[in-house]
């Protein structure tokens, strides 16, 4: 056996750790690691098989080589074939010649046309639990694998175990966004898991039940309307109408009749009585969108309704009772408009009982992978396309671009790309010029990756931070018990930053 080139091994391991830590999606991380494993072991193909704990079947989670696509629908029973044997016995294995090993199952080779010659495989274990098998096939520069290869493969498989255990629970929870809904018990259609978004969910949960007026601000496309709907959907008014009016879209004289309705003959063209938005929203929520564009005289009328709870239809004198909760939104700075004399100060304070400020997407980029996933699924389904993800380059570009149009822009870019895509993975060529030429900013590593312990510490820190230092929620996401988390916090000397 040759001397192990430790330097080379260490570099390969470090690269794998970096890939895991710098990737924003588990699938992207695993695909990149498998590419790196195949290349570093100078082999024809490699597979990562994951064990489904319920069915006890192994399935191909990430694969390289020219029959990769054919393997994705195949499952292997625990104990069956080389991969199944390795996962069941929890032992690594070198098969020098597949023809001579009775454990080798020929069906997969027969169905894909791939000829396995020599295989090396190692179980992926985390804290005593088998997660799957890592296997590499057909060395390109020699007859069969040797003990040196096994040392490297086992080390790589413990890196993969960490990626699977931490990222998988982390990303799975985030993608479905269910855990979060349970934790804060909130109905909403907003995707996000960053601290900024969590704080907003928490605020909505607190204020939704009470009839306070809410002012939602934020750049265009940040989700102001979704927030308004979430407030309504989580309030006692949820079974009554949510009615929106866009104050920019209509000239001042029409806005008045839109809001309050008009009597027959109130003005030329008013041929019949018409209900206004205050009336149709009775019992529910009235969403005054783009409130910063509302003219001065309508502002005064709105203020009056808010103060007195009554109003009249245009051209009428019968007082009608207003029973609405008001949520207003604007992408303008209302305080500046007040200072310029364009917005009534008294109305501003009346609307601003609670203020929700939505962050620009560039300030919460950690949500981008989740949003990408969400929009790809959405448009793949609605356009009946088979797009499942984005390439690493597209992810890098999306993470580097500043998104002046925020989530709306991201949504529209993905929509167009899904329509244009000829492949399952969106590539740079599917993106518009202005975005695809974005200079990639490399994301800083949280630390110089030295050891597996360091990597574990960094993951724990990241999950704690993302979860606002809530230990129970973090332990759940990390899939470890609360006492285990406490002992790791102590072991790694992690100090709570709150
Ligand atoms: N957190 C989110 N998760 C999923 N989709 C989102 C999210 N935020 C916004 N969107 C989507 O992005 C688009 C823009 O959102 P919305 O209309 O609420 O933004 P806005 O702040 O009201 O923008 P504008 O100021 O231009 O009116 C919508 O299609 C919305 O569904
Ligand atoms: Mg809007």
């Amino acid at each position: 056996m040759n001397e192990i080139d430790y330097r080379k091994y260490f570099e390969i391991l470090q690269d794998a750790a970096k890939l895991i830590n710098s990737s924003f999606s588990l699938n992207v991380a695993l695909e990149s690691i498998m590419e790196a494993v195949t290349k570093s072991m100078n082999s024809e193909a490699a597979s990562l098989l994951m064990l489904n704990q319920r069915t006890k079947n192994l399935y191909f989670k990430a694969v390289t080589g020219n029959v990769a696509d054919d393997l994705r629908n195949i499952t292997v029973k625990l104990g069956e074939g080389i991969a199944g044997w390795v996962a069941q016995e929890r032992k690594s294995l070198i098969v020098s010649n597949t023809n001579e090993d009775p454990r080798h199952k020929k069906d997969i080779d027969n169905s894909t046309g791939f000829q396995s010659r020599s295989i090396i495989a190692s179980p992926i274990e985390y804290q005593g639990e088998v997660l799957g098998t890592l296997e590499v096939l057909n060395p390109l520069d020699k007859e069969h694998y040797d003990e040196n290869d096994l040392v490297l493969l086992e080390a790589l498989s413990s890196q993969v175990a960490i990626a699977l255990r931490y990222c998988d629970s982390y990303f799975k929870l985030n993608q479905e966004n269910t855990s979060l809904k349970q934790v804060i018990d909130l109905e909403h259609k907003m995707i996000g898991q960053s601290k900024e978004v969590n704080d907003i969910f928490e605020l909505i949960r607190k204020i939704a039940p009470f009839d306070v007026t809410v002012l939602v601000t934020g750049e265009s496309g940040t989700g102001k309307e979704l927030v308004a709907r979430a407030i309504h959907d989580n309030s006692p008014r949820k079974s009554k109408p949510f009615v929106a009016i866009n104050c920019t879209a209509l000239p001042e004289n029409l806005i008045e009749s839109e809001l309050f309705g008009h009597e027959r003959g109130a003005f030329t063209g008013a041929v019949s009585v018409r209900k206004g938005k205050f009336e149709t929203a009775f019992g529910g929520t009235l969403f005054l969108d783009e409130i910063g564009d509302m003219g001065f005289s309508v502002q005064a009328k709105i203020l009056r309704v808010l103060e007195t709870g009554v109003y009249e239809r245009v051209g009428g004198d019968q007082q009608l009772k207003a029973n609405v909760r008001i949520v207003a939104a604007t992408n303008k700075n209302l305080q500046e408009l007040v200072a310029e004399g364009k917005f009534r100060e008294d109305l501003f304070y009346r609307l601003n009982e609670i203020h929700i400020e939505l962050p620009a997407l560039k300030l919460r980029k950690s949500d981008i992978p989740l949003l990408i996933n969400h929009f790809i699924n959405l448009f793949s389904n609605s356009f009946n396309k088979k797009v499942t993800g984005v390439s690493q380059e597209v992810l890098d570009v999306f993470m580097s671009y500043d998104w002046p149009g925020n989530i709306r822009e991201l949504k529209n870019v993905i929509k167009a790309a899904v329509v244009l895509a000829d492949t399952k993975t969106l590539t740079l060529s599917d993106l518009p010029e202005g975005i695809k030429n974005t200079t990639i900013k490399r994301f800083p590593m949280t630390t110089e990756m030295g050891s597996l312990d360091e990597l574990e510490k960094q993951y724990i820190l990241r999950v704690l931070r993302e979860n606002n230092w809530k230990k129970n929620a973090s332990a759940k996401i990390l899939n470890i018990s609360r006492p285990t988390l406490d002992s790791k916090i102590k072991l790694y000397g992690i100090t709570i930053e709150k």
Side-chain angles (χ1 to χ4, degrees):
M1 191 173 100
N2 299 328
E3 269 293 293
I4 295 184
D5 182 349
Y6 280 104
R7 201 187 159 77
K8 181 182 144 213
Y9 278 21
F10 187 67
E11 276 169 16
I12 294 171
L13 284 176
Q14 263 210 329
D15 284 349
K18 281 183 184 169
L19 279 172
I20 294 169
N21 204 38
S22 62
S23 289
F24 294 94
S25 128
L26 177 64
N27 285 339
V28 171
L30 292 178
E31 295 286 345
S32 322
I33 289 175
M34 295 311 289
E35 292 289 347
V37 168
T38 318
K39 219 166 133 197
S40 60
M41 298 192 62
N42 199 12
S43 296
E44 204 176 325
S47 302
L48 166 65
L49 292 101
M50 285 278 286
L51 180 64
N52 179 326
Q53 304 289 350
R54 195 176 48 79
T55 61
K56 299 290 171 213
N57 281 336
L58 292 151
Y59 62 95
F60 289 85
K61 175 99 180 151
V63 202
T64 62
N66 54 14
V67 299
D69 278 345
D70 300 323
L71 288 169
R72 289 185 210 274
N73 298 324
I74 294 179
T75 54
V76 178
K77 287 202 181 75
L78 188 62
E80 251 185 31
I82 303 294
W85 185 91
V86 165
Q88 187 170 54
E89 300 298 320
R90 300 175 176 217
K91 284 186 194 144
S92 297
L93 185 66
I94 298 174
V95 177
S96 304
N97 183 346
T98 52
N99 285 331
E100 290 166 8
D101 196 311
R103 288 169 292 202
H104 177 59
K105 237 178 128 231
K106 298 208 166 49
D107 337 359
I108 296 182
D109 281 0
N110 290 344
S111 80
T112 60
F114 185 86
Q115 289 280 313
S116 319
R117 198 177 75 244
S118 171
I119 301 179
I120 185 167
S122 166
I124 303 167
E125 290 181 280
Y126 188 78
Q127 293 188 339
E129 189 191 348
V130 181
L131 307 179
T133 301
L134 182 60
E135 77 177 1
V136 187
L137 304 95
N138 296 357
L140 295 172
D141 55 352
K142 55 190 176 190
E143 269 303 297
H144 54 76
Y145 295 103
D146 58 32
E147 294 293 321
N148 285 351
D149 298 314
L150 205 59
V151 175
L152 178 61
L153 190 70
E154 284 179 349
L156 285 167
S157 106
S158 38
Q159 296 283 37
V160 171
I162 293 182
L164 287 174
R165 255 298 154 242
Y166 288 113
C167 300
D168 202 29
S169 44
Y170 188 72
F171 279 101
K172 230 196 268 155
L173 286 174
N174 293 348
Q175 272 163 12
E176 291 163 2
N177 224 2
T178 45
S179 72
L180 197 65
K181 277 188 189 168
Q182 281 156 11
V183 174
I184 62 171
D185 194 19
L186 185 71
E187 271 308 309
H188 60 81
K189 298 196 167 53
M190 289 172 287
I191 306 296
Q193 165 68 38
S194 56
K195 177 170 182 321
E196 290 79 1
V197 170
N198 270 332
D199 288 348
I200 286 163
F201 290 157
E202 184 65 32
L203 186 57
I204 297 174
R205 185 186 64 77
K206 278 193 189 146
I207 55 119
F210 307 105
D211 259 353
V212 283
T213 305
V214 185
L215 178 65
V216 189
T217 59
E219 290 177 11
S220 178
T222 45
K224 296 186 289 295
E225 181 154 353
L226 285 189
V227 167
R229 284 181 189 275
I231 293 171
H232 174 74
D233 291 344
N234 291 278
S235 77
R237 295 173 173 272
K238 66 178 176 214
S239 58
K240 296 284 177 5
F242 173 89
V243 175
I245 177 163
N246 185 325
C247 305
T248 322
L250 295 163
E252 184 136 342
N253 55 343
L254 275 187
I255 279 218
E256 217 179 306
S257 95
E258 277 289 314
L259 281 170
F260 307 114
H262 59 73
E263 296 293 345
R264 190 168 161 215
F267 48 84
T268 327
V271 287
S272 57
V273 177
R274 185 169 175 223
K275 283 187 183 176
K277 302 277 186 191
F278 270 95
E279 219 170 327
T280 45
F282 193 86
T285 304
L286 180 59
F287 176 48
L288 303 175
D289 203 2
E290 316 291 359
I291 188 95
D293 294 336
M294 183 181 270
F296 227 69
S297 76
V298 186
Q299 290 176 27
K301 292 190 170 125
I302 294 269
L303 181 67
R304 186 180 151 244
V305 188
L306 289 175
E307 298 286 323
T308 62
V310 292
Y311 63 96
E312 295 92 34
R313 292 191 188 123
V314 177
D317 49 19
Q318 187 198 347
Q319 285 204 328
L320 301 176
K321 198 171 170 322
N323 176 359
V324 292
R325 187 226 193 116
I326 300 274
V327 179
T330 180
N331 54 22
K332 299 201 168 144
N333 183 333
L334 280 194
Q335 262 164 315
E336 270 174 22
L337 293 183
V338 169
E340 290 164 14
K342 293 185 182 142
F343 201 86
R344 291 183 68 113
E345 193 172 14
D346 41 12
L347 179 60
F348 169 70
Y349 287 117
R350 193 67 183 72
L351 294 174
N352 199 35
E353 284 175 355
I354 299 287
H355 179 200
I356 299 184
E357 162 97 61
L358 295 186
L361 184 55
K362 67 172 177 232
L363 301 179
R364 54 174 184 111
K365 285 191 169 172
S366 63
D367 285 331
I368 289 179
L370 289 180
L371 288 160
I372 294 174
N373 245 312
H374 171 73
F375 292 133
I376 283 188
N377 289 339
L378 180 75
F379 294 120
S380 252
N381 287 335
S382 55
F383 298 137
N384 216 358
K385 302 269 297 201
K386 300 247 171 340
V387 180
T388 53
V390 300
S391 69
Q392 182 67 50
E393 289 84 4
V394 170
L395 189 61
D396 286 344
V397 161
F398 279 8
M399 295 301 290
S400 304
Y401 183 65
D402 269 348
W403 299 108
N406 294 293
I407 302 178
R408 180 180 294 112
E409 185 180 10
L410 175 67
K411 186 175 177 179
N412 291 340
V413 166
I414 293 179
K415 185 178 181 183
V418 168
V419 169
L420 294 174
D422 295 319
T423 50
K424 284 200 292 191
T425 305
L426 297 183
T427 57
L428 285 183
S429 61
D430 300 317
L431 303 185
E433 290 300 321
I435 294 185
K436 97 173 131 196
N437 300 328
T438 306
T439 319
I440 307 284
K441 295 176 203 145
R442 284 281 157 213
F443 297 96
M445 299 293 298
T446 37
T447 178
E448 266 307 301
M449 286 296 131
S451 64
L452 292 182
D453 283 354
E454 186 55 36
L455 189 66
E456 181 169 79
K457 176 180 171 185
Q458 291 306 322
Y459 269 111
I460 291 175
L461 257 174
R462 173 166 143 189
V463 173
L464 280 166
R465 279 196 191 118
E466 296 267 0
N467 286 281
N468 219 1
W469 298 93
K470 292 194 182 100
K471 289 192 201 159
N472 283 338
S474 303
K476 211 165 148 194
I477 286 167
L478 290 163
N479 209 16
I480 55 177
S481 70
R482 173 64 201 268
T484 308
L485 177 60
D486 284 332
S487 66
K488 285 186 189 290
I489 288 176
K490 204 165 153 210
L491 174 72
Y492 295 132
I494 294 173
T495 37
I496 307 296
E497 292 167 3
K498 239 184 133 181

